[in-house]
Amino acid sequence: VYARFNDIKNALKGLGKVYTNHELVNKILKCLLKTWEPKVTAIEEAKDLSTLPLDDLLGSLMTHELRMNDQAKNEPKKKTVALKGSKDEESDKDKDEMALLTKRIRRITLDKK
């Protein structure tokens, strides 16, 4: 990801658009996924973004990513249980829902009259 970001940054520099370190840090923090929000908030509160070097930011993010991957590997896999339903149960459920819907429609119709 950093290589792609660096390529874009260098291409823009070639076109005459130069970003400050502060702008680059903000752009990286804003483009991260929602799952990174706690880390972004921690960085914003703990560090001065106007003086934070881009390499320090990327190192911090890479460290966090490695830690998240390790935690995901070490978490025990959750077992899920699926119950098989019969067609009779499904039709009973459908009948109950239809009866409830019919009652609601009757009430609405009677209220409007």
mmCIF file with all atom_site columns, all heavy atoms in Angstrom, residues 42-55:
data_model
loop_
_atom_site.group_PDB
_atom_site.id
_atom_site.type_symbol
_atom_site.label_atom_id
_atom_site.label_alt_id
_atom_site.label_comp_id
_atom_site.label_asym_id
_atom_site.label_entity_id
_atom_site.label_seq_id
_atom_site.pdbx_PDB_ins_code
_atom_site.Cartn_x
_atom_site.Cartn_y
_atom_site.Cartn_z
_atom_site.occupancy
_atom_site.B_iso_or_equiv
_atom_site.pdbx_formal_charge
_atom_site.auth_seq_id
_atom_site.auth_comp_id
_atom_site.auth_asym_id
_atom_site.auth_atom_id
_atom_site.pdbx_PDB_model_num
ATOM 1   N N   . ALA A 1 42 ? -6.154 7.032  18.385 1.00 0.00 ? 42 ALA A N   1
ATOM 2   C CA  . ALA A 1 42 ? -5.036 7.006  19.333 1.00 0.00 ? 42 ALA A CA  1
ATOM 3   C C   . ALA A 1 42 ? -3.852 7.802  18.798 1.00 0.00 ? 42 ALA A C   1
ATOM 4   O O   . ALA A 1 42 ? -3.217 8.561  19.542 1.00 0.00 ? 42 ALA A O   1
ATOM 5   C CB  . ALA A 1 42 ? -4.623 5.563  19.605 1.00 0.00 ? 42 ALA A CB  1
ATOM 6   N N   . ILE A 1 43 ? -3.556 7.664  17.529 1.00 0.00 ? 43 ILE A N   1
ATOM 7   C CA  . ILE A 1 43 ? -2.442 8.405  16.929 1.00 0.00 ? 43 ILE A CA  1
ATOM 8   C C   . ILE A 1 43 ? -2.737 9.902  16.948 1.00 0.00 ? 43 ILE A C   1
ATOM 9   O O   . ILE A 1 43 ? -1.873 10.716 17.295 1.00 0.00 ? 43 ILE A O   1
ATOM 10  C CB  . ILE A 1 43 ? -2.176 7.915  15.489 1.00 0.00 ? 43 ILE A CB  1
ATOM 11  C CG1 . ILE A 1 43 ? -1.571 6.510  15.517 1.00 0.00 ? 43 ILE A CG1 1
ATOM 12  C CG2 . ILE A 1 43 ? -1.250 8.867  14.744 1.00 0.00 ? 43 ILE A CG2 1
ATOM 13  C CD1 . ILE A 1 43 ? -1.455 5.853  14.161 1.00 0.00 ? 43 ILE A CD1 1
ATOM 14  N N   . GLU A 1 44 ? -3.969 10.270 16.588 1.00 0.00 ? 44 GLU A N   1
ATOM 15  C CA  . GLU A 1 44 ? -4.327 11.690 16.555 1.00 0.00 ? 44 GLU A CA  1
ATOM 16  C C   . GLU A 1 44 ? -4.221 12.331 17.936 1.00 0.00 ? 44 GLU A C   1
ATOM 17  O O   . GLU A 1 44 ? -3.817 13.487 18.061 1.00 0.00 ? 44 GLU A O   1
ATOM 18  C CB  . GLU A 1 44 ? -5.740 11.861 15.996 1.00 0.00 ? 44 GLU A CB  1
ATOM 19  C CG  . GLU A 1 44 ? -5.844 11.599 14.519 1.00 0.00 ? 44 GLU A CG  1
ATOM 20  C CD  . GLU A 1 44 ? -7.274 11.629 14.006 1.00 0.00 ? 44 GLU A CD  1
ATOM 21  O OE1 . GLU A 1 44 ? -8.227 11.519 14.812 1.00 0.00 ? 44 GLU A OE1 1
ATOM 22  O OE2 . GLU A 1 44 ? -7.436 11.754 12.786 1.00 0.00 ? 44 GLU A OE2 1
ATOM 23  N N   . GLU A 1 45 ? -4.598 11.588 18.961 1.00 0.00 ? 45 GLU A N   1
ATOM 24  C CA  . GLU A 1 45 ? -4.574 12.150 20.317 1.00 0.00 ? 45 GLU A CA  1
ATOM 25  C C   . GLU A 1 45 ? -3.181 12.131 20.940 1.00 0.00 ? 45 GLU A C   1
ATOM 26  O O   . GLU A 1 45 ? -2.847 13.010 21.716 1.00 0.00 ? 45 GLU A O   1
ATOM 27  C CB  . GLU A 1 45 ? -5.564 11.399 21.208 1.00 0.00 ? 45 GLU A CB  1
ATOM 28  C CG  . GLU A 1 45 ? -7.005 11.672 20.847 1.00 0.00 ? 45 GLU A CG  1
ATOM 29  C CD  . GLU A 1 45 ? -7.994 10.910 21.709 1.00 0.00 ? 45 GLU A CD  1
ATOM 30  O OE1 . GLU A 1 45 ? -7.553 10.124 22.579 1.00 0.00 ? 45 GLU A OE1 1
ATOM 31  O OE2 . GLU A 1 45 ? -9.196 11.092 21.506 1.00 0.00 ? 45 GLU A OE2 1
ATOM 32  N N   . ALA A 1 46 ? -2.372 11.133 20.587 1.00 0.00 ? 46 ALA A N   1
ATOM 33  C CA  . ALA A 1 46 ? -1.076 10.973 21.242 1.00 0.00 ? 46 ALA A CA  1
ATOM 34  C C   . ALA A 1 46 ? 0.053  11.731 20.555 1.00 0.00 ? 46 ALA A C   1
ATOM 35  O O   . ALA A 1 46 ? 1.050  12.045 21.188 1.00 0.00 ? 46 ALA A O   1
ATOM 36  C CB  . ALA A 1 46 ? -0.716 9.493  21.315 1.00 0.00 ? 46 ALA A CB  1
ATOM 37  N N   . LYS A 1 47 ? -0.103 12.026 19.290 1.00 0.00 ? 47 LYS A N   1
ATOM 38  C CA  . LYS A 1 47 ? 1.010  12.619 18.551 1.00 0.00 ? 47 LYS A CA  1
ATOM 39  C C   . LYS A 1 47 ? 0.599  13.920 17.894 1.00 0.00 ? 47 LYS A C   1
ATOM 40  O O   . LYS A 1 47 ? -0.569 14.139 17.577 1.00 0.00 ? 47 LYS A O   1
ATOM 41  C CB  . LYS A 1 47 ? 1.505  11.639 17.496 1.00 0.00 ? 47 LYS A CB  1
ATOM 42  C CG  . LYS A 1 47 ? 1.935  10.326 18.119 1.00 0.00 ? 47 LYS A CG  1
ATOM 43  C CD  . LYS A 1 47 ? 2.579  9.421  17.150 1.00 0.00 ? 47 LYS A CD  1
ATOM 44  C CE  . LYS A 1 47 ? 2.926  8.133  17.876 1.00 0.00 ? 47 LYS A CE  1
ATOM 45  N NZ  . LYS A 1 47 ? 3.992  7.408  17.322 1.00 0.00 ? 47 LYS A NZ  1
ATOM 46  N N   . ASP A 1 48 ? 1.558  14.763 17.665 1.00 0.00 ? 48 ASP A N   1
ATOM 47  C CA  . ASP A 1 48 ? 1.342  16.020 16.955 1.00 0.00 ? 48 ASP A CA  1
ATOM 48  C C   . ASP A 1 48 ? 1.450  15.721 15.467 1.00 0.00 ? 48 ASP A C   1
ATOM 49  O O   . ASP A 1 48 ? 2.541  15.484 14.951 1.00 0.00 ? 48 ASP A O   1
ATOM 50  C CB  . ASP A 1 48 ? 2.390  17.048 17.388 1.00 0.00 ? 48 ASP A CB  1
ATOM 51  C CG  . ASP A 1 48 ? 2.194  18.395 16.719 1.00 0.00 ? 48 ASP A CG  1
ATOM 52  O OD1 . ASP A 1 48 ? 1.126  18.605 16.093 1.00 0.00 ? 48 ASP A OD1 1
ATOM 53  O OD2 . ASP A 1 48 ? 3.108  19.231 16.819 1.00 0.00 ? 48 ASP A OD2 1
ATOM 54  N N   . LEU A 1 49 ? 0.320  15.704 14.784 1.00 0.00 ? 49 LEU A N   1
ATOM 55  C CA  . LEU A 1 49 ? 0.306  15.324 13.370 1.00 0.00 ? 49 LEU A CA  1
ATOM 56  C C   . LEU A 1 49 ? 1.061  16.303 12.487 1.00 0.00 ? 49 LEU A C   1
ATOM 57  O O   . LEU A 1 49 ? 1.509  15.935 11.400 1.00 0.00 ? 49 LEU A O   1
ATOM 58  C CB  . LEU A 1 49 ? -1.139 15.177 12.869 1.00 0.00 ? 49 LEU A CB  1
ATOM 59  C CG  . LEU A 1 49 ? -1.973 14.094 13.540 1.00 0.00 ? 49 LEU A CG  1
ATOM 60  C CD1 . LEU A 1 49 ? -3.349 14.015 12.908 1.00 0.00 ? 49 LEU A CD1 1
ATOM 61  C CD2 . LEU A 1 49 ? -1.281 12.745 13.494 1.00 0.00 ? 49 LEU A CD2 1
ATOM 62  N N   . SER A 1 50 ? 1.217  17.530 12.932 1.00 0.00 ? 50 SER A N   1
ATOM 63  C CA  . SER A 1 50 ? 1.924  18.508 12.106 1.00 0.00 ? 50 SER A CA  1
ATOM 64  C C   . SER A 1 50 ? 3.424  18.239 12.062 1.00 0.00 ? 50 SER A C   1
ATOM 65  O O   . SER A 1 50 ? 4.111  18.666 11.135 1.00 0.00 ? 50 SER A O   1
ATOM 66  C CB  . SER A 1 50 ? 1.648  19.926 12.595 1.00 0.00 ? 50 SER A CB  1
ATOM 67  O OG  . SER A 1 50 ? 2.115  20.081 13.915 1.00 0.00 ? 50 SER A OG  1
ATOM 68  N N   . THR A 1 51 ? 3.939  17.493 13.055 1.00 0.00 ? 51 THR A N   1
ATOM 69  C CA  . THR A 1 51 ? 5.378  17.206 13.087 1.00 0.00 ? 51 THR A CA  1
ATOM 70  C C   . THR A 1 51 ? 5.672  15.713 12.966 1.00 0.00 ? 51 THR A C   1
ATOM 71  O O   . THR A 1 51 ? 6.835  15.325 12.955 1.00 0.00 ? 51 THR A O   1
ATOM 72  C CB  . THR A 1 51 ? 6.009  17.726 14.387 1.00 0.00 ? 51 THR A CB  1
ATOM 73  O OG1 . THR A 1 51 ? 5.369  17.089 15.495 1.00 0.00 ? 51 THR A OG1 1
ATOM 74  C CG2 . THR A 1 51 ? 5.869  19.233 14.490 1.00 0.00 ? 51 THR A CG2 1
ATOM 75  N N   . LEU A 1 52 ? 4.649  14.886 12.884 1.00 0.00 ? 52 LEU A N   1
ATOM 76  C CA  . LEU A 1 52 ? 4.835  13.439 12.812 1.00 0.00 ? 52 LEU A CA  1
ATOM 77  C C   . LEU A 1 52 ? 5.419  13.059 11.453 1.00 0.00 ? 52 LEU A C   1
ATOM 78  O O   . LEU A 1 52 ? 4.788  13.298 10.420 1.00 0.00 ? 52 LEU A O   1
ATOM 79  C CB  . LEU A 1 52 ? 3.497  12.718 13.022 1.00 0.00 ? 52 LEU A CB  1
ATOM 80  C CG  . LEU A 1 52 ? 3.497  11.200 12.912 1.00 0.00 ? 52 LEU A CG  1
ATOM 81  C CD1 . LEU A 1 52 ? 4.339  10.593 14.030 1.00 0.00 ? 52 LEU A CD1 1
ATOM 82  C CD2 . LEU A 1 52 ? 2.081  10.670 12.978 1.00 0.00 ? 52 LEU A CD2 1
ATOM 83  N N   . PRO A 1 53 ? 6.608  12.450 11.434 1.00 0.00 ? 53 PRO A N   1
ATOM 84  C CA  . PRO A 1 53 ? 7.177  12.020 10.155 1.00 0.00 ? 53 PRO A CA  1
ATOM 85  C C   . PRO A 1 53 ? 6.348  10.900 9.525  1.00 0.00 ? 53 PRO A C   1
ATOM 86  O O   . PRO A 1 53 ? 5.795  10.046 10.234 1.00 0.00 ? 53 PRO A O   1
ATOM 87  C CB  . PRO A 1 53 ? 8.572  11.513 10.517 1.00 0.00 ? 53 PRO A CB  1
ATOM 88  C CG  . PRO A 1 53 ? 8.860  12.077 11.861 1.00 0.00 ? 53 PRO A CG  1
ATOM 89  C CD  . PRO A 1 53 ? 7.527  12.249 12.533 1.00 0.00 ? 53 PRO A CD  1
ATOM 90  N N   . LEU A 1 54 ? 6.253  10.911 8.227  1.00 0.00 ? 54 LEU A N   1
ATOM 91  C CA  . LEU A 1 54 ? 5.464  9.922  7.500  1.00 0.00 ? 54 LEU A CA  1
ATOM 92  C C   . LEU A 1 54 ? 5.972  8.508  7.786  1.00 0.00 ? 54 LEU A C   1
ATOM 93  O O   . LEU A 1 54 ? 5.176  7.582  7.956  1.00 0.00 ? 54 LEU A O   1
ATOM 94  C CB  . LEU A 1 54 ? 5.518  10.224 5.999  1.00 0.00 ? 54 LEU A CB  1
ATOM 95  C CG  . LEU A 1 54 ? 4.623  9.408  5.094  1.00 0.00 ? 54 LEU A CG  1
ATOM 96  C CD1 . LEU A 1 54 ? 3.166  9.565  5.491  1.00 0.00 ? 54 LEU A CD1 1
ATOM 97  C CD2 . LEU A 1 54 ? 4.820  9.810  3.648  1.00 0.00 ? 54 LEU A CD2 1
ATOM 98  N N   . ASP A 1 55 ? 7.277  8.339  7.864  1.00 0.00 ? 55 ASP A N   1
ATOM 99  C CA  . ASP A 1 55 ? 7.844  7.016  8.141  1.00 0.00 ? 55 ASP A CA  1
ATOM 100 C C   . ASP A 1 55 ? 7.452  6.508  9.520  1.00 0.00 ? 55 ASP A C   1
ATOM 101 O O   . ASP A 1 55 ? 7.196  5.310  9.693  1.00 0.00 ? 55 ASP A O   1
ATOM 102 C CB  . ASP A 1 55 ? 9.373  7.053  8.016  1.00 0.00 ? 55 ASP A CB  1
ATOM 103 C CG  . ASP A 1 55 ? 9.821  7.253  6.579  1.00 0.00 ? 55 ASP A CG  1
ATOM 104 O OD1 . ASP A 1 55 ? 9.042  6.916  5.664  1.00 0.00 ? 55 ASP A OD1 1
ATOM 105 O OD2 . ASP A 1 55 ? 10.945 7.746  6.375  1.00 0.00 ? 55 ASP A OD2 1
#
